[in-house]
Each structure stands twice: as structure tokens, then as C-alpha cells.
Amino acid sequence: MKRVLVLTGGGDCPGLNAVIRAIVKRASQEKDWEVIGSMQGFNGVLNEPQEIKVLDDKAVRGIHFQGGTILESTNKGGPFAWPVKNKDGSWGSVDRSDELIKKLQLLGVEAVINIGGDGSQRISQALFEKGMNIIGVPKTIDNDVANTDSTFGFQTAVQIATDAVDKLVTTAASHNRVIILEAMGRDAGWIAMNAAVAGGAEVCLIPEIPYDPEKVNKHIESRFHKDRGFVNIVIAEGAHAKGESQSSVKSDEVGYAHRKLTGAAARLREELKAAGCQHDIRETVLGHLQRGGVPIAYDRVLATQFGVKAFELVKEEKYGHMVSYRHPYITSVPLKSAISKPNLVTPDTALIKTARGVGISFGD
Ligand code: F6P
């Protein structure tokens, strides 16, 4: 029996379970392959005792529409930066990648499928360079992984954000208010921009286009006649005014490499007031609601396509590649090219032109 190990790393995302299920279902059509799963990314292999489970048809039955991941996930540490406590009580990290490779050999693992975002795929590439037979599957609600048209989970997040805009529009209109919705999107404004267009927001602020609060305020005023009118703003969590940086706090979670983005909407409220906005302003932070729950049909289909393709890449021994959607094909790209740059909104992005075409202001 040949063994393929599957894991999910980084922030969770609707559709992860559909990928796992598709890998298992496709592998079960082969007589000589067994699928095993590592809990919490590579931690399941590195932890003592190990946390590995056999994934057969029974283990994945009916999980295609379940949110989260049956393998659990982590966005802390990893094999190259495993957190360790120093003698003085502070935290440092050690590289356990060689140990990981040995442990996988002892488990009889022929190949690894790593389902995760850009951080996870950087780990995939580094392990591939150390000789591991590894395939990447791109995952992120932010849609910021390059060299794939889309990632699963993104459309579900857009739907959740759009539902929120739809609700906020009616309350903003009833109270003649400015309502700010803070959506996820660390470096990429895809969720915010799609939700703004779908929900008919008046302003959309994204990390790629630093905004001018005066210009945002001017646009707000153009939507009010005296004190009657309303404005809905969608702001990505990573958006900031010109000359400012992202609104964030340092994380005190051990092994968490990022700063925690928080406060973009609240800061915008203050900036608008400083720019002279007299209208009532309220803000709503959508947060992890965008990451949880049932994936919409589109994401289940894409996730299933990614899972089947991932196993086929293993069969072809096309290691060092990441599954990629290039309409109308499900194909693959070298991991190296996938992690070379993020997929960000650029000035020539078609949807920016559409958004401006329907009068949405980006505050620039
Ligand atoms: O990368 C996806 C994402 O949802 C970002 O938009 C967000 O900043 C981050 O994850 C938050 O992750 P967590 O709170 O799980 O660490």
C-alpha cells in the first residue's frame, strides 16, 4: 500500500472538507493507495503521540457541505519555526523540518498534499526543496494566492459579506446614516470589492488603494441632501488612509507570525469625523463569520475539483506543483511561481472599472 498524507494549514476556509473528501474518494478508486490525515497541519506528525487518522470513504462521508476542517488547522509555527520556550521564559523557534521528513518516512508516506494559503505553500516549496514529494492545494477566503483564477471559500465569503451589506443598506436608509462594514482582506481587497459591487455600496476601501478621508467625505456629502440620505461603505480590514499603515495590534499568541488586523472601520469613523462628516456613523465588523459555515455550491464544486486533481498530480508524481484553476481547466503550476507574488487588486482589474462605472468611490 502506498500512503498519501493530507493536511490543512493556515486559517480555515469553507470547502476544506470537500477537498479532503474528493482526495479520499479519488484515491479509493486505486487499489494501492491509502489516505491518512495529519491533525492541525504538520503538528499531527511532529507531536508525540502523533495525531494521524486513516481517511477512508466512511471517514469523509457527507462532509462536503460542512464548514471548517475535520483535520483541524493552525496558523502558528510550522515545521520550520516550531515554537520553543527559552530558559528566560521568552519564546523562540526551532527548525524541525528534517525530523518531519524522517517521521514521514517511518510512517511510510510516499506523498503529501498540503491544503493551505500562501504561508502554507511557502512551507510546501521549502519541503519540496528538501526532497519531499509534495503537492499544494490553494486555500484562502482572501483570494490572494497567485496563479490560480480563484480559490475555494472566497465566493462563500463574498456571499456572507454581501448578505451583510444587504442588511446594512436597509438600516442605513431608515436612519439616514453612514454605515461602515469591515470585511476581511489582509492585503487584498477582493472580498470588499465584490461585496461592494454585489451589495450596491457607495464606497469601497481596499488595501491596494490608500484612501483620502476628505475625498471619502466629499462622496458621502454628494449622497446626502441636507440631512437626508445614506451611505454604505465596505472597507477591507487591511485598508488605510494615504500615509498611514494598517490598523493592527501585535499578537501575544505563541507562534503567530502576523500582526492582528483590527480597527479599520473604527479608525475610518474618526477620520471621517475629522474630515467634517456630521452624519451619524455606525460600524459593523464581520470578522470570522466570513470564514465559517456551509460553503456555497460554487466553492464545493471548486474544492471537489481541486481534491480530485491533487490526487491525480500525486499519481503523475508531479511533485512541487500546486493545483490551479485556469478557466476552463483545472491544471497545476509550480509551487515556486504560485508563491512568487500575491494576487492583489490592480488598477486594470476589470471589477475596479465596473465598480467605478457604477459610481463606487475608492476614496482616491
Ligand atoms: O488570511 C485569511 C484571513 O481571514 C485574513 O483575512 C485575516 O486577517 C486572517 O485570516 C485572520 O486570521 P486568524 O484570526 O484566524 O488568525
Side-chain angles (χ1 to χ4, degrees):
M1 262 307 193
K2 291 190 269 191
R3 286 183 137 183
V4 56
L5 178 114
V6 179
L7 63 131
T8 51
D12 71 342
C13 172
L16 285 167
N17 282 327
V19 181
I20 297 167
R21 172 178 172 272
I23 292 168
V24 172
K25 284 199 155 286
R26 179 62 188 81
S28 70
Q29 291 173 21
E30 308 294 320
K31 295 212 167 22
D32 50 347
W33 279 95
E34 178 184 55
V35 185
I36 58 174
S38 171
M39 299 301 290
Q40 291 188 354
F42 282 111
N43 295 8
V45 180
L46 288 167
N47 283 343
E48 291 297 345
Q50 292 185 322
E51 292 180 279
I52 304 287
K53 56 164 118 169
V54 173
L55 297 173
D56 54 13
D57 272 355
K58 197 166 163 231
V60 299
R61 193 167 294 156
I63 65 168
H64 52 291
F65 59 84
Q66 278 175 24
T69 160
I70 59 164
L71 293 177
E72 300 177 6
S73 193
T74 176
N75 51 12
K76 294 176 194 160
F80 291 95
W82 188 268
V84 282
K85 203 165 200 167
N86 298 320
K87 281 192 184 123
D88 64 0
S90 64
W91 284 88
S93 64
V94 291
D95 181 350
R96 293 184 70 188
S97 57
D98 289 335
E99 190 189 338
L100 174 73
I101 290 169
K102 278 197 201 101
K103 285 188 162 177
L104 289 174
Q105 280 163 358
L106 287 173
L107 282 166
V109 170
E110 185 101 358
V112 172
I113 298 176
N114 187 8
I115 312 168
D118 55 344
S120 300
Q121 300 317 335
R122 266 174 232 290
I123 293 174
S124 298
Q125 173 64 20
L127 290 170
F128 176 64
E129 285 170 14
K130 289 191 127 198
M132 190 181 284
N133 294 339
I134 192 161
I135 298 293
V137 177
K139 161 258 42 153
T140 159
I141 62 159
D142 289 4
N143 202 33
D144 58 357
V145 177
N147 286 306
T148 179
D149 287 356
S150 186
T151 52
F152 64 88
F154 166 62
Q155 292 293 348
T156 301
V158 168
Q159 188 61 54
I160 293 166
T162 302
D163 290 346
V165 179
D166 290 347
K167 291 180 169 83
L168 294 173
V169 163
T170 58
T171 176
S174 303
H175 285 269
N176 295 281
R177 277 176 174 158
V178 175
I179 296 199
I180 307 168
L181 174 70
E182 184 178 310
M184 276 189 170
R186 177 168 280 277
D187 300 307
W190 296 111
I191 297 174
M193 189 167 67
N194 277 268
V197 171
E202 284 74 29
V203 178
C204 176
L205 304 175
I206 59 176
E208 296 90 333
I209 306 179
Y211 58 85
D212 177 346
E214 303 274 346
K215 288 196 177 151
V216 178
N217 190 41
K218 215 168 155 202
H219 194 74
I220 291 171
E221 284 313 318
S222 74
R223 306 286 306 176
F224 275 83
H225 297 290
K226 298 201 172 137
D227 54 358
R228 308 301 286 273
F230 67 95
V231 165
N232 283 86
I233 300 176
V234 184
I235 185 169
E237 62 184 349
H240 54 87
K242 284 177 188 157
E244 297 284 340
S245 49
Q246 294 183 327
S247 180
S248 67
V249 292
K250 194 174 176 302
S251 170
D252 56 4
E253 292 169 1
V254 175
Y256 192 81
H258 297 292
R259 287 183 70 83
K260 273 188 192 282
L261 296 186
T262 176
R267 182 170 69 176
L268 175 63
R269 181 198 350 106
E270 295 310 314
E271 290 165 342
L272 289 175
K273 279 189 188 162
C277 182
Q278 302 276 320
H279 309 293
D280 292 351
I281 306 175
R282 295 286 188 275
E283 66 266 2
T284 297
V285 180
L286 210 42
H288 289 78
L289 281 175
Q290 291 155 103
R291 291 232 305 249
V294 170
I296 62 170
Y298 179 93
D299 282 333
R300 294 184 213 177
V301 173
L302 188 60
T304 303
Q305 288 180 294
F306 278 11
V308 167
K309 183 70 180 179
F311 183 76
E312 284 172 354
L313 291 175
V314 168
K315 269 198 75 190
E316 290 163 28
E317 298 183 13
K318 214 167 169 188
Y319 300 122
H321 274 65
M322 184 187 83
V323 177
S324 161
Y325 170 40
R326 286 299 197 204
H327 184 77
Y329 304 106
I330 301 295
T331 174
S332 71
V333 290
L335 277 164
K336 209 172 186 170
S337 73
I339 59 172
S340 61
K341 59 174 173 36
N343 174 34
L344 302 179
V345 177
T346 59
D348 60 345
T349 298
L351 193 56
I352 280 226
K353 294 179 187 166
T354 304
R356 293 195 197 274
V358 293
I360 294 175
S361 165
F362 286 83
D364 57 339

